[in-house]
Amino acid sequence: MRATLLFSPGIEAAAVSSRTRRRRAGRAASRQVRRMKVSATMDSGGGSSGQGQSGGWDPAVEFVEANEGVRNFLAFPVAFVSASNWLAQAIYVAAKLGIPDVLAGGPRAVSEIAAEVGADPDALSRLMRSLAGQGPVPGIFIEVFEPPVPGLPMLPRVDLSNFPLPIAVPPQLTPDPPASELDRRYALTPLGAMLREDGTGTIRPWTIFAGEELGRGWTGLLGAVQTGRPDYGAAQGGDGAAGLGFWDYMGANPVAQQTFDESMRALSAYTAAAGEAADSYDWAAGAAAMTVVDVGGGTGGLLADIVRRTPGAEGVLFDRPSVVAESEAVFVEKGVAGRCQAKAGSFFVPGDIPAGADVYVMKNILHDWDDADCRAILRNVGAAMRPDSRLVVLEVIRSERAGYEPWTLDLADYFDLNMLVTVGGRERSAGEWRRLAEAAGMEVSSAAPGSLIGCGTIEMRLSGAAPAPAAEREAPASAAVTAAERLTDDAAADVEEVAARASLERTAEETVTESVISEKA
């Protein structure tokens, strides 16, 4: 109803001034002149519309320009989608205030919730109303009322006045709303329950990160599209932040780094440990004993799941010092403390990655970097591999997009934009993965796409290296080729390009560590 009123031609005409009407008439006359020019061009054989020629006329433009009803129908959806960050920010605020945690014990009135979370009651009532479902879109909250029969749970308040029903609904099931907005009572929906701070499988950390650092980061999309590179620090604002990339900004801002790390752990429960990444690949490949190195593996959750599911497997976690320091507790919790160890280092530094393992795995690492960085990382991994080692890359495999597919929702296109605006990386298609592997001296031996939110599985081997039989996989440590022997001249150029980045990473981490120690002292 509000959309109809907002774009009703009658109301709109009554509200505009005669000056505005004159401007519109002038624009309409200009459009008519352009149409006449296009028509004359087409009649003289100057080409059809929509071909991108000078003076051409796109069919979609012509369709919208000539149909007022079409414009009235499309205006509100386009305007609402353009402002969809409204909904994202509303959900963020609800999670940040801890409203789902307040409602975890049962429905509460707005006035009670406001007192609990320290919010203005009137403003909070407006937030709750906006998140209690809109049309076919369910909300994270739902308004409820006391049932007519004592002892029953709260019932959802649903307006059925405009819904045709074959029987009359008893008035006790459709009571009038409270006179005051502050007396309305709300309960959690299953969507809202996912935002509790201590809830099993909570995604609250991701919601907080998306509403704060990531939300600000996306304000830099225009610059990233114009230049091809993001300025994450400038989008965040603050003194001295401009020019800082994502990782440098995180290294200089420990609170932001913690928010990011917590958000990644929250999402990993649904993209790794819950099964697809750990279960959909034959890690042992018939070998009775094998070693897995998780490159950039965070605190070790995925590695622990792989080792736990693979008899005879041992694991080595490789990541930054501050990250692997938290891995021992993860290994103990998952029961693999005696079969996993951690090593600190940088995958940008040749020789840092543990050498001679059977399998190397990288999950959601390469999409953080551009092609030059990825070539350097892959070559450093390749330098640590034996001729018969495998590298398993767990990443989104973006669709090749042969054309518009109205029956397919490919979120990878939006993940790809997120990589552009934050870290300057990208999501890659199967063809792009193959070309990247070849440029780094490897070849893709298999690639399988994942589910909607899962990871694809891309297996790589050193170029020209044939898989060895399981019985022949044990090789002495001397069989591992060193980084200096494996890197080509082209690879060295890529390493030089990212060497400064690795130095900055370590310097930032040392600075943060020193500041933390100083604060504690």
Side-chain angles (χ1 to χ4, degrees), residues 443-470:
E443 57 189 33
V444 174
S445 49
S446 66
S451 66
L452 187 67
I453 61 171
C455 291
T457 304
I458 306 148
E459 184 187 82
M460 299 183 186
R461 297 177 183 271
L462 296 175
S463 295

Side-chain angles (χ1 to χ4, degrees), residues 323-383:
V323 178
V324 299
E326 303 178 29
S327 62
E328 184 177 354
V330 175
F331 294 153
V332 170
E333 178 187 353
K334 292 183 177 286
V336 294
R339 298 165 59 191
C340 291
Q341 58 179 300
K343 179 185 177 183
S346 169
F347 45 57
F348 280 119
V349 178
D352 262 16
I353 299 173
D358 298 275
V359 178
Y360 291 81
V361 58
M362 302 181 76
K363 179 183 179 297
N364 288 342
I365 298 297
L366 297 177
H367 72 166
D368 288 340
W369 307 96
D370 63 21
D371 286 352
D373 290 333
C374 285
R375 287 194 298 271
I377 295 170
L378 287 174
R379 282 167 175 150
N380 285 339
V381 175

Side-chain angles (χ1 to χ4, degrees), residues 206-250:
W206 166 258
T207 304
I208 301 302
F209 174 66
E212 294 178 351
E213 281 79 13
L214 190 58
R216 291 190 294 270
W218 267 75
T219 63
L221 179 60
L222 175 61
V225 171
Q226 290 175 323
T227 65
R229 299 293 301 177
D231 189 339
Y232 189 81
Q236 296 298 315
D239 295 337
L244 291 179
F246 182 88
W247 304 113
D248 297 328
Y249 178 84
M250 290 297 170

Side-chain angles (χ1 to χ4, degrees), residues 266-284:
L267 289 186
S268 291
Y270 298 98
T271 60
E276 184 170 10
D279 289 342
S280 64
Y281 182 77
D282 183 6
W283 301 97

Side-chain angles (χ1 to χ4, degrees), residues 48-338:
S48 61
S49 64
Q51 294 182 350
Q53 299 176 354
S54 178
W57 192 255
D58 187 89
V61 173
E62 186 169 3
F63 178 65
V64 170
E65 289 286 333
N67 294 277
E68 182 181 12
V70 171
R71 296 195 299 275
N72 290 337
F73 178 77
L74 295 178
F76 185 73
V78 173
F80 183 77
V81 171
S82 300
S84 58
N85 60 316
W86 297 352
L87 177 59
Q89 278 295 303
I91 294 174
Y92 154 72
V93 170
K96 183 74 172 181
L97 290 176
I99 296 174
D101 298 283
V102 172
L103 296 179
R108 304 282 289 275
V110 171
S111 57
E112 297 173 327
I113 301 171
E116 191 82 17
V117 303
D120 177 80
D122 177 67
L124 183 65
S125 72
R126 297 155 72 179
L127 177 73
M128 299 297 292
R129 190 172 64 237
S130 71
L131 292 174
Q134 299 287 341
V137 181
I140 62 174
F141 309 125
I142 187 169
E143 189 181 355
V144 296
F145 66 93
E146 291 280 359
V149 179
L152 293 179
M154 292 278 188
L155 297 178
R157 185 184 298 280
V158 180
D159 184 3
L160 300 175
S161 59
N162 294 320
F163 192 79
L165 294 173
I167 59 174
V169 179
Q172 295 89 341
L173 298 180
T174 58
D176 293 332
S180 171
E181 290 287 326
L182 305 188
D183 293 331
R184 289 180 183 264
R185 301 176 70 84
Y186 290 93
L188 283 176
T189 66
L191 293 174
M194 294 291 293
L195 297 173
R196 292 169 298 139
E197 184 171 10
D198 298 325
T200 302
T202 178
I203 59 169
R204 182 181 184 272
W206 166 258
T207 304
I208 301 302
F209 174 66
E212 294 178 351
E213 281 79 13
L214 190 58
R216 291 190 294 270
W218 267 75
T219 63
L221 179 60
L222 175 61
V225 171
Q226 290 175 323
T227 65
R229 299 293 301 177
D231 189 339
Y232 189 81
Q236 296 298 315
D239 295 337
L244 291 179
F246 182 88
W247 304 113
D248 297 328
Y249 178 84
M250 290 297 170
N253 294 271
V255 175
Q257 179 73 65
Q258 181 180 0
T259 302
F260 171 69
D261 290 342
E262 290 174 352
S263 73
M264 292 299 98
R265 280 195 289 270
L267 289 186
S268 291
Y270 298 98
T271 60
E276 184 170 10
D279 289 342
S280 64
Y281 182 77
D282 183 6
W283 301 97
M290 47 92 70
T291 301
V292 181
V293 175
D294 190 349
V295 180
T299 58
L302 173 62
L303 179 66
D305 279 348
I306 293 172
V307 170
R308 187 171 58 179
R309 288 164 165 78
T310 309
E314 295 185 350
V316 179
L317 176 66
F318 179 77
D319 210 315
R320 293 173 291 124
S322 62
V323 178
V324 299
E326 303 178 29
S327 62
E328 184 177 354
V330 175
F331 294 153
V332 170
E333 178 187 353
K334 292 183 177 286
V336 294

